[in-house]
Amino acid sequence: MDENSQNYGIVLTTVSSQSEGRAIASALIEAHLAACVSMMPVHSIYTWQGQVNSDQEWQLAIKTNLALFDPLSAKIKELHSYELPEIIALPIVAGFPPYLNWIAENTKQNIQ
């Protein structure tokens, strides 16, 4: 495992529409909070306010430096339509070093 891989991760969030996903993805990329955002249609079954729901959503897989989780999370919350958005980070435990370097290059403006 590359020690540097521990700096990087994938943040997941689901949104109600493709247009909302594109707006959030674009804002994250433009702010250099993410290097890449992949969007996929998903079907979610979940409990909310005591009721089981079944909805078509879009999942965003946000590739980033995990040091940016707080500002990235704040940007998602600012733009998200859900009262309680999913915002979870999964660490990258190993990765192709040139790809990890690419993430670093595209997010470095925000790392102190």
Side-chain angles (χ1 to χ4, degrees):
M1 173 169 56
D2 180 359
E3 286 183 27
N4 289 336
S5 68
Q6 296 175 12
N7 298 329
Y8 306 103
I10 297 174
V11 176
L12 299 175
T13 191
T14 51
V15 296
S16 63
S17 68
Q18 185 177 23
S19 61
E20 182 178 15
R22 283 184 180 166
I24 291 172
S26 294
L28 296 174
I29 295 298
E30 289 169 12
H32 300 281
L33 293 170
C36 174
V37 180
S38 300
M39 294 178 42
M40 299 142 286
V42 296
H43 189 94
S44 298
I45 300 172
Y46 59 96
T47 302
W48 178 247
Q49 297 179 337
Q51 295 187 355
V52 175
N53 296 274
S54 179
D55 292 314
Q56 289 299 126
E57 296 182 294
W58 285 81
Q59 183 168 65
L60 279 60
I62 304 158
K63 282 70 115 195
T64 190
N65 185 315
L66 292 177
L68 297 172
F69 181 80
D70 289 342
L72 185 146
S73 178
K75 180 59 81 174
I76 292 172
K77 286 187 283 186
E78 172 190 326
L79 300 172
H80 211 292
S81 65
Y82 292 174
E83 182 180 338
L84 180 64
E86 168 194 23
I87 307 172
I88 57 173
L90 306 172
I92 296 173
V93 296
F96 182 49
Y99 185 80
L100 298 178
N101 290 338
W102 176 78
I103 292 174
E105 284 298 313
N106 285 281
T107 58
K108 73 179 180 183
Q109 291 180 336
N110 287 306
I111 304 299
Q112 305 294 359

